[in-house]
């Protein structure tokens, strides 16, 4: 059965929303259901073929969607949210830990997949990210005690835009023979995002923007920021939208509380639609072909790299030895990893340098880590004695509501 443009778009949006609603009801990471639904709609049934559905517009639309997603993620990077004992381990996990994860994952992919180092670095950088869309539902099931829960939740919030930005840099290095392009691309994107944030703040603070329109204005500002940055330098849009979100999250002149509706409403549609489209493009034969190497990569990530990174990043923190072990057993990958992998794969294809390992390996890691941590997380937490006796009141990012109030 072949669906037309209208039917195809409708099916993608419906599956994206249904997958997330069902995941919340079942208390499982939404990424698992979205991946299954996307594969069923795409390579299994043939109902959705994103390349036919969107044609040459697929690459720019997906790239713009990722830019909006990074904007939404970056709005959570308010440094004031980190209070007390959680601050130091989270800061080390998203800085030193991110570096160690990126380098370690790069070396693992270089060794297992026998890739050029520049391409291995693209996968390694993408595998830095985790994200609240996958960590939050897992924490709701695992129920670790405080401050462990806050450490894991905030790491997931902060690491996505950091990892995606590093991945963008690595992709630029791998794609361009002249590395100086990267500096100009990053600088133009950062400057564009900072200026756009200033314009938005001025409009909200002094322009008498009605409160009911602030979310729409933020959405339009993010789109315009992406487009302007891309006009200056191709591939600068992701730097720009990430910068826009970070600056808005940390300024104190204009309130941004209404912008968090972006994540709960527009973000839900964006994540679901994007992931259905991306997983519908996955080549099942490639997924199977790289299954064994991906298993090896996941084994090294889960059993060696993450425990090592967690040990280094949490040394001397308020976390007990058992809590530090639990940090080492929690590093799933999520929506941003899938999105950036798909965007960069399209860029490599568009540049005439196909990167066939990128999508199947990253999607395989996403699936396997979600299954491993989802199945074993509650058991490991119980065995370590770091599990709360009852459920806590958590927000959509997996952060305890009491902690949010204390840090707000």
């Amino acid at each position: 059965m072949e669906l037309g443009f209208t039917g195809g778009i409708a099916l993608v949006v419906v599956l994206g929303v249904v997958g997330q609603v069902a995941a919340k009801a079942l208390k499982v990471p939404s990424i698992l259901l979205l991946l299954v639904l996307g594969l069923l709609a795409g390579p299994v049934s043939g109902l959705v073929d994103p390349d036919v559905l969107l044609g040459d517009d697929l690459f720019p639309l997906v790239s713009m969607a990722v830019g909006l997603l990074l904007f939404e993620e970056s709005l959570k990077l308010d440094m004031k949210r980190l209070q007390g004992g959680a601050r130091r381990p989270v800061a080390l996990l998203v800085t030193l830990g991110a570096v160690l994860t990126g380098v370690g994952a790069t070396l693992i992919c270089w060794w297992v997949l026998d890739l050029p180092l520049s391409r291995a670095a693209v996968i390694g950088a993408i595998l830095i990210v985790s994200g609240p869309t996958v960590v939050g539902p897992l924490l709701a099931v695992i129920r670790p005690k405080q401050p462990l829960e806050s450490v894991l939740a905030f790491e997931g919030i902060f690491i996505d835009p950091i990892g995606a930005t590093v991945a963008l840099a690595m992709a630029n290095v791998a794609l361009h023979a002249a590395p100086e392009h990267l500096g100009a691309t990053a600088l133009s994107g950062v400057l564009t995002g900072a200026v756009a944030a200033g314009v938005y703040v001025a409009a909200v603070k002094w322009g008498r923007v009605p409160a009911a329109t602030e979310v729409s204005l933020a959405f339009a500002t993010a789109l315009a920021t992406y487009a302007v940055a891309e006009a200056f330098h191709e591939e600068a849009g992701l730097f720009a939208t990430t910068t826009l979100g970070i600056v808005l999250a940390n300024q104190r002149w204009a309130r941004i509380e209404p912008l968090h509706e972006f994540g709960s409403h527009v973000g839900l549609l964006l994540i679901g639609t994007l992931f259905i489209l991306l997983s519908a493009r996955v080549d099942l034969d490639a997924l199977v072909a790289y299954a064994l190497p991906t298993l090896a990569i996941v084994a090294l990530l889960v059993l060696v790299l993450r425990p090592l990174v967690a040990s280094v990043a949490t040394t001397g923190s308020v976390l007990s030895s058992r809590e530090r072990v639990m940090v080492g057993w929690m590093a799933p990958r999520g929506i941003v990893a899938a999105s950036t992998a798909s965007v960069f794969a399209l860029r490599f294809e568009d540049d005439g340098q196909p990167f066939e390992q990128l999508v199947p390996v990253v999607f395989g890691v996403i699936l396997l880590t979600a299954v491993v941590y989802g199945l074993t997380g509650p058991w490991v937490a119980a065995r370590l004695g770091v599990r709360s006796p009852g459920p806590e009141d958590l927000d959509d990012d997996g952060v305890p509501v009491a902690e949010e109030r204390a840090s707000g």
Side-chain angles (χ1 to χ4, degrees):
M1 178 181 176
E2 226 176 274
L3 298 176
F5 176 79
T6 303
I9 293 295
L11 179 61
V12 167
V13 173
V14 168
L15 289 178
V17 173
V18 168
Q20 291 179 87
V21 171
K24 281 185 179 290
L26 297 172
K27 294 185 178 179
V28 298
S30 59
I31 199 163
L32 287 178
L33 288 183
L34 292 173
L35 177 58
V36 171
L37 290 173
L39 290 173
L40 289 174
V44 174
S45 68
L47 288 174
V48 175
D49 184 340
D51 294 283
V52 172
L53 193 63
L54 297 172
D56 293 338
D57 294 326
L58 176 64
F59 168 70
L61 285 174
V62 169
S63 186
M64 182 178 286
V66 173
L68 291 173
L69 187 58
L70 288 178
F71 168 64
E72 188 265 326
E73 292 288 322
S74 299
L75 284 172
K76 301 167 185 172
L77 295 184
D78 182 356
M79 299 309 162
K80 275 194 163 183
R81 297 182 75 184
L82 274 177
Q83 298 291 326
R87 182 185 293 273
R88 184 175 185 274
V90 171
L92 286 174
L93 282 167
V94 302
T95 52
L96 176 61
V99 172
L100 293 176
T101 301
V103 172
T106 294
L107 294 176
I108 289 170
C109 293
W110 171 72
W111 179 58
V112 173
L113 298 171
D114 192 25
L115 290 172
L117 200 56
S118 61
R119 292 197 169 203
V122 175
I123 300 180
I126 290 172
L127 295 182
I128 291 173
V129 307
S130 176
T133 56
V134 65
V135 171
L138 286 177
L139 292 181
V141 175
I142 295 170
R143 302 197 316 265
K145 296 177 182 178
Q146 290 300 342
L148 174 60
E149 185 155 33
S150 290
V151 170
L152 293 171
F154 281 119
E155 181 198 8
I157 293 168
F158 285 10
I159 200 67
D160 270 1
I162 293 171
T165 302
V166 174
L168 178 61
M170 293 301 101
N172 273 275
V173 170
L175 279 169
H176 300 302
E180 62 267 17
H181 291 171
L182 175 59
T185 299
L187 182 61
S188 64
V190 169
L191 289 176
T192 302
V195 170
V199 170
Y200 177 85
V201 169
V204 172
K205 180 71 174 175
W206 296 289
R208 297 184 180 180
V209 174
T213 65
E214 288 179 12
V215 175
S216 299
L217 179 61
F219 181 78
T221 301
L223 280 174
T225 301
Y226 178 90
V228 170
E230 287 286 311
F232 282 121
H233 278 281
E234 189 179 354
E235 301 167 352
L238 299 186
F239 286 110
T241 54
T242 300
T243 302
L244 173 64
I246 292 173
V247 173
L248 290 181
N250 289 280
Q251 57 78 36
R252 297 293 175 255
W253 294 284
R255 66 192 187 100
I256 65 163
E257 287 78 9
L259 302 194
H260 293 297
E261 292 182 30
F262 183 95
S264 60
H265 300 294
V266 177
L268 183 140
L269 286 172
L270 190 64
I271 288 171
T273 301
L274 185 60
F275 202 76
I276 294 296
L277 277 174
L278 298 180
S279 53
R281 288 190 83 248
V282 174
D283 185 343
L284 284 179
D285 292 334
L287 206 60
V288 172
Y290 289 103
L292 288 179
T294 303
L295 278 170
I297 291 170
V298 170
L300 291 170
L301 291 174
V302 170
L303 300 176
V304 179
L305 184 60
R306 175 62 179 188
L308 176 63
V309 169
S311 176
V312 172
T314 59
T315 298
S317 70
V318 298
L319 298 179
S320 68
S321 58
R322 288 173 178 250
E323 289 171 332
R324 292 174 63 204
V325 171
M326 191 64 211
V327 173
W329 196 256
M330 184 55 58
R333 272 67 180 181
I335 294 288
V336 171
S339 303
T340 50
S342 299
V343 167
F344 296 154
L346 287 169
R347 285 185 174 162
F348 276 95
E349 289 175 20
D350 195 52
D351 204 54
Q353 307 176 50
F355 191 168
E356 64 180 23
Q357 299 92 342
L358 182 53
V359 169
V361 168
V362 172
F363 271 73
V365 170
I366 290 168
L367 177 61
L368 291 172
T369 54
V371 170
V372 168
Y373 294 123
L375 292 178
T376 65
W379 180 83
V380 171
R383 296 283 290 181
L384 291 171
V386 298
R387 199 176 190 199
S388 297
E392 291 195 61
D393 189 10
L394 306 179
D395 67 12
D396 290 338
D397 298 328
V399 175
V401 173
E403 183 87 3
E404 280 280 345
R405 288 172 183 154
S407 62

